[in-house]
Structure formats: C-alpha cells, structure tokens
Amino acid sequence: MISIAETDPPLPGLSLGASLLRGAPRSYAILFFSANARLGWWLMAVSMLAPDYGISGLAGVLTAGALAWWLGYDHAQIRSGFLLFNPLLVCLTVAYLNRCYHFATPTFLLLWAASVIGAFFVSAALQRWAGLLLGLSAHSLPAVAAAYVLYFLGFSLFGPPSLPDSSTPVWLDLPGLPPFLQAMFQAFGAMLFQPHVVPGMMVFLGLALTSPLSTLAASLSFTVGAATMWQLGFHLGPEGVTWCGFNFLLCGIALGSGYFIASAASLALAMSGAFLCSLTSVALATALRYFNLPASALPYNLVVLAMVTALRARRSAGALLPSPSPGSLPESAVQQVLIDAQRFPDLKTPALFSPVGALCTVTQSFDDTLTHRGLWRYALDFEVEKEGRKCRSDGSSLVDYFIFGVPVLAPCSGVVANIVNHVTDNAPGGNNPEENWGNYIVIYSDAGYYVMLAHLQQHSATVFVGQRVSRGFVLGTCGNSGRSPFPHLHLQIQDTALAGSASRPFCLKHYLAPGGNGMFFRTSGVPAAGTRVQSGTPHPTLSETLHGWLPGEYRYRISEEEGRVREETLLLDFDDFGRYRWRSRRTHARLIGFISEGVFFTTEFQGDHRSLLAYFAAGLARVPSVLEPSVVWEDSVNATPFFAGPERLIRALTTPFIGLKMLRYKYQRQDENEGSFTLRATLEPGRECAQAPRNITTLLTGRRGVTRLEARLVNDRTLIAELLEHQTVGG
C-alpha cells in the first residue's frame, strides 16, 4: 500500500477501458505491496469465491477509476492501481455490512455509491497529505476511516450489527488442519474479506509464487504476532487470532520486504512490528468496543507509519537499506542493491575526473606518509613521469619538471568560488609554509561540494570568482607555489571554499591505468601512490553507435547445438528517464540500458537465460567510449538468471542472507570497419555456474545495435544469435 510507479511503457493515448484493464488487477496486488498484475488477477479471482464481495469490490474499483478519469487525475495513477485500492477495500466493507444488516437493494446501492465516491476523495486527500507531510503513502487509513463512517451510519440507522450470515461449507476451513495453520490461512483470506482456510491458502499460494520473500516475511511476522497473542491469553487458533492476524501479515510485508530491502535486519524489524501490532490490536479493540467498532487494519497502519517515519530520521541507513523502488518485487530490489554495491562501489561517493589530461603519476594518495594526514588526509598529488623520471637533466630549474606548466583541467562542472593567484613559485627544493596552499582555485561543483586544486603556477589562473566552468575547462597551469618543494598538483574535496578546510572522501572516475599489455579502464576508484593514471580520449564513432540505437522491433534467429533454432523478437523503446528499455516478446524478459558520461551500462535485467537479453546484460554490461586501443575493463554480472529450477528459487530466498553470486567478466574491444565494433567478454575462472556464458562475442553496428552475438557456455554449449530484421519507429 505504498506509492508504486507504473511499470508499463508510457501510454499517453490509452483509453479508459485499457487503463482500467491494467489498473484493476494492480489495485488488488497493492494490498500485498506488489505491482504484479498476475498476482492481482489471481487475487481478483479468489475474491469471486464469495460473489457478493467480489462483485462489490470489482465494481468499486472500476467506478473509482472512471471517476478519476473523468475528474482529470493522472492516468498513470489509474493504471498503477494506486487510486483504486482504498475504494476496493471500502466496497468490500459495504458487502460485509450488507451481510450483517440485509439492506434493501436501494439502500445497499445508495450506500455503495456513497462509499465509492467518499472513499475516492478521502483516499486522494489523505494520500496527498501523507505524501506532502511525511513523504509516505497513507496506506489503507482512508479505507479504515471510510469504513468507520459506514459502521456509525449503520448503527444510527439500523442498530447494532448482527454477525454476518455465512453459508460457507465446512470444508472451506479444513477442520483437520492444526489450529495455528488454520488461523494463519484465515488471516490471509481475511485480507480479501474471506476469513476461511481455502481462500487463504489460495492467497498464500499466489503470493508465494510471486514473491517468496514477501511470503516469508508475512509468515514470520504472523508467527510472532500470534505467539504474543497467546502469551496475552488468547487461543492460538482461529477464534483467538484471525480477527487481527491480517495486521501481522501486513506488518511483515511492509517492514520486511516493502519499505526496506529484505534482510535479516528487515525481518527482525518486521517481527518487532508484529509484536507491537498485536499489543496495539488488543488495546484498540478494547477502546473501540465502546463504539461498537472493530480494530480493522488500524493497528497495522499506525505501527507501520510510526516505525517508517521514525526510521527516516536516521543519519545513515545502517543494516536497514531502503528499497530503491517500493512496489517492485523484493527479490528484484534485493538483487539490484547487491548488484549496484558490487558494480558501483563508489556510487554515493563524490567523484572527480583527473585534473591532468596527460599520463601522470599519483605520488601521494589518501592517508599517505608525507602531508596527507589529519584534516587533509583525503587528497591526491599528481606529477608527470617519463621513463621513470620526473624531470629533465638535474632538475635544478622548474622548467625541467615535466608537470610544470601542464594545463590544469576542471575535474567537474561548477562555479569558481575562490582564487589565489599571486604567490611566487618556489625554486626546486624550496618551500613556503606561510602560504601553505600557494596559488589555488576552489570550485563549487554542481553536485554540492567544494573542490580545491592547489600549488598552481603564479598568475596562471584563467578564471575569476563567480565564473561557471565545465568539466575539462583549462583553469591554469601546474606550478610549485606554497608548501611544495617540487612541482606537483594537489586535489581534494573540502567542506568550504576557504583554503585549509577539512577534506572529505572522494574518488576519481573514468580513468585509464596502464596494466598488462594495454590500458585498464576504471569507472571509479582511489588510485594508490605510484599508480599512473590518464583520462580517456572520447571515441566519437563508438559514442555515436551507442547513442544511435534506434527504437523499434529487432527479430533475431538463435541457433544452438544439435540443430535447435528459434526466434526471439526484442522491443526497444525509451523510458521516462531517456534510458533504453528492451522487452522480449517471447519470454517477457526486460533490460535497461543507459549512457552516463561516455560509458554505456546495462542494468535491471528481469528474466532468465532463456532470453537473449540475458546475454545482452552480460556482454554489454559496461562499454566505455574511449579511443585508446587495447583498453581492458571488468564488470560483475548477476548469476541468478543463469540458474534454473529449484536452485534459482532457493537462491532468491537466501540471497538477502548469504549474499549474491556474481559472474566477473573481463572485456576487450576491437574496432571493425564502417563503424562496427566487436566486444569480447571472458568469464573469470572460478566464477562459473551451469548456464552461464564463459565467453561472449558481440558485434555492435551503428543504428542497429547488436547484429550478432556468440556465447560459449560453461557447459560447452554454443549459442549464436543473428539479427534477421529490424523495424524502427520514431524516437
């Protein structure tokens, strides 16, 4: 019951009927913190086991959707089901009260219509209020509030409600089942107003097939909540737990796998929430009994909103990592966080480009032995070496040093915040501790931090305070001013624009370092002292090829050993962020690709090895557009899609607790004729799994993207994919 982003492609011209066809099932799935339409259809079918409930709820969803459309609400909120799930719950409540009071048909229709309209507006208002004030969803509080109004209205018009009529067959509650399991499955069914074992088992099955982690979190939380109720003197069975048990399930899903990445810590939080929820349920039931009201879902709403709001005041995430995309499958969210941690370890660290265009040597790094200590521990010093020497002849003159006079480039875009330009350069071996930083320039970067470049040559600054500079702009030249016995360039990120401010951790990004028989490309890192680094030269043709991949349909012929041939059509378009988005028409697999500062990445693969997109994800994981030949780079790829059957399910359940298996590949590029490029990926030894490719060779061609892919699998099978046809559409 959190705000869930639409997962379908943008469809601005979609009709009301088509929007409701997408939004109606998701309004059911949102009850379980999911955007999965298949789960929604399943839950809708389960609700129809009691036709009066099912029809009332579905009609409420469709009517609320039509009302939102007519009033001009965002159609994406209709398609996502976010505006519809509270009216669904209220209409289920009306059906429940109808069984209690046996309304005349006109009375029922009047109450039902009022419930749809009232629930819609209360939901829209409370969702907006909670979003603006707390940055959270209002969950099902609007439905609880509307339900209480209905209870009061029914009491004032018809007196106290009687127990609802039930002609449910006895077998729906499976009397032979242990009482605890009866109570748990009835709690699952109660979320659709069907507190019986068989409907509950169907709900449990649908959730388990969709998200095993959500099912695990819900089951553990129910166990803790039920055990607490038992300690309070309630029977550990349907009569003692079912009336409030669905609150425990919702707490488990929300805290264990909804708002936070599923982990041992999130499960502990979920069980703590269930413990508090059981106590809150008893307290609220006692208080509300005087008003003839049930506790309903109020305990879960209060506990979850309180805990999540409190946890948002933390200074750091600690062991409880927020979900990157609430509403996505917990399994996908866990994998994405763990994958990003391995692929992009410096993702949240300020990153700078090298301030020297030429190949240079880092002579001091973080926490080094000379001057990078204490407040200034996070800094890098650069010098230029040629054939192991820093200077010509004996180095008695500043111009003998290769770094002296070399242009200093802006390592980021921003605004010049401070400049000192008058300090005289020291003679080699000299020093000026009174003007420690010498000539320097401080830039306030667009990312919100201050970057200082120090020991510049006297009167070499080409900028002024307040001037805007772009990354790579020439700021001045390297010198030997300040506390600097020999020419070098000092780089650090600091707290303020004043010289001497405390430094802060950062990293270099997109740099080349010599290694083996060529240059090794690093997306980010902190080079150690003695490391030689160089900024890569942009490769215009490769960049054009990666940027020019046209949207449309791409039909591939896939040949495997033993003469097996199949076809797969991939649909390519762009998402709202301008990223490439591939979808397989055959397997429904999905893949995202994007370009950031000259590097192409693939990410967020959903599917398994049966789709060609799994090999796109591995073969094109990272492609830097650098001109230098013999460039080598590495990346990690999620191994989960290459497992099959039970092993994949087991890994999905255990990943949050034992970690994610990754495949480590080394990549090389070969430039072909006419703007084509061959990329070769080789799996690092010791990282194999059964269906994973050991080698992938991918041919990239301008505007058509991947025209040929050959993969040699760990089990020695070979897969070859060739582009047969592509039909492009306007971007």
Side-chain angles (χ1 to χ4, degrees), residues 335 339 605 607-609 637-644 647-649 651-652 655 660-663 689:
Q335 289 185 16
I339 290 169
F605 173 68
D608 58 33
H609 65 276
V637 176
N638 182 13
T640 303
F642 299 103
F643 291 104
E647 186 175 6
R648 190 175 181 201
L649 175 61
R651 287 190 173 274
T655 289
L660 184 67
K661 181 176 176 61
M662 300 290 286
L663 305 172
C689 65

Side-chain angles (χ1 to χ4, degrees), residues 462-606:
T462 63
V463 294
F464 54 86
V465 173
Q467 179 178 342
R468 176 160 187 82
V469 295
S470 299
R471 190 258 295 183
F473 187 86
V474 177
L475 303 173
T477 56
C478 295
N480 195 40
S481 56
R483 187 182 176 187
S484 175
F486 300 101
H488 72 283
L489 177 65
H490 177 96
L491 173 69
Q492 70 180 40
I493 285 180
Q494 57 187 42
D495 287 341
T496 73
L498 300 177
S501 296
S503 62
R504 289 290 175 257
F506 69 98
C507 64
L508 286 188
K509 61 179 175 179
H510 298 187
Y511 64 93
L512 301 173
N517 297 323
M519 302 291 283
F520 195 92
F521 176 85
R522 295 192 181 278
T523 305
S524 65
V526 179
T531 303
R532 302 174 72 195
V533 299
Q534 176 183 345
S535 296
T537 306
H539 195 313
T541 307
L542 178 56
S543 179
E544 182 181 353
T545 297
L546 294 172
H547 278 90
W549 211 327
L550 296 176
E553 294 189 5
Y554 292 76
R555 185 165 63 91
Y556 290 89
R557 180 179 60 211
I558 302 172
S559 306
E560 300 181 66
E561 292 183 351
E562 301 175 359
R564 289 178 295 179
V565 178
R566 56 186 169 89
E567 290 189 2
E568 183 172 2
T569 298
L570 303 181
L571 309 178
L572 173 62
D573 63 1
F574 298 98
D575 67 8
D576 293 338
F577 302 101
R579 304 180 303 176
Y580 290 118
R581 174 173 49 194
W582 289 273
R583 290 170 290 136
S584 170
R585 178 169 286 171
R586 185 177 66 88
T587 67
H588 305 290
R590 296 182 179 221
L591 178 67
I592 294 293
F594 65 94
I595 300 173
S596 175
E597 297 178 319
V599 182
F600 176 87
F601 299 93
T602 57
T603 185
E604 298 181 29
F605 173 68
Q606 299 177 33

Side-chain angles (χ1 to χ4, degrees), residues 224-288:
V224 170
T228 305
M229 298 291 289
W230 178 67
Q231 286 292 325
L232 295 175
F234 290 82
H235 185 265
L236 194 62
E239 60 273 19
V241 180
T242 298
W243 65 274
C244 62
F246 61 90
N247 283 280
F248 312 152
L249 299 177
L250 289 169
C251 265
I253 298 173
L255 299 175
S257 60
Y259 278 109
F260 303 98
I261 291 299
S263 63
S266 73
L267 291 182
L269 179 71
M271 290 187 285
S272 300
F275 168 71
L276 295 175
C277 199
S278 61
L279 301 177
T280 306
S281 296
V282 174
L284 286 175
T286 303
L288 294 173

Side-chain angles (χ1 to χ4, degrees), residues 33-79:
F33 290 80
S34 175
N36 188 279
R38 293 181 182 179
L39 174 62
W41 286 115
W42 176 255
L43 296 174
M44 188 187 299
V46 173
S47 74
M48 293 298 172
L49 292 176
D52 54 337
Y53 283 99
I55 293 172
S56 177
L58 179 57
V61 166
L62 298 178
T63 305
L67 180 61
W69 183 282
W70 179 65
L71 291 173
Y73 280 83
D74 184 1
H75 294 176
Q77 290 192 321
I78 300 174
R79 293 193 293 267

Side-chain angles (χ1 to χ4, degrees), residues 13-14 39 53 100 122 147 185 211 300 304 313 442 483 529 543 645 659 668 705:
L14 213 59
L39 174 62
Y53 283 99
C100 295
V122 170
F185 289 128
S211 174
Y300 137 76
V304 169
V442 177
R483 187 182 176 187
S543 179
Q668 290 180 297

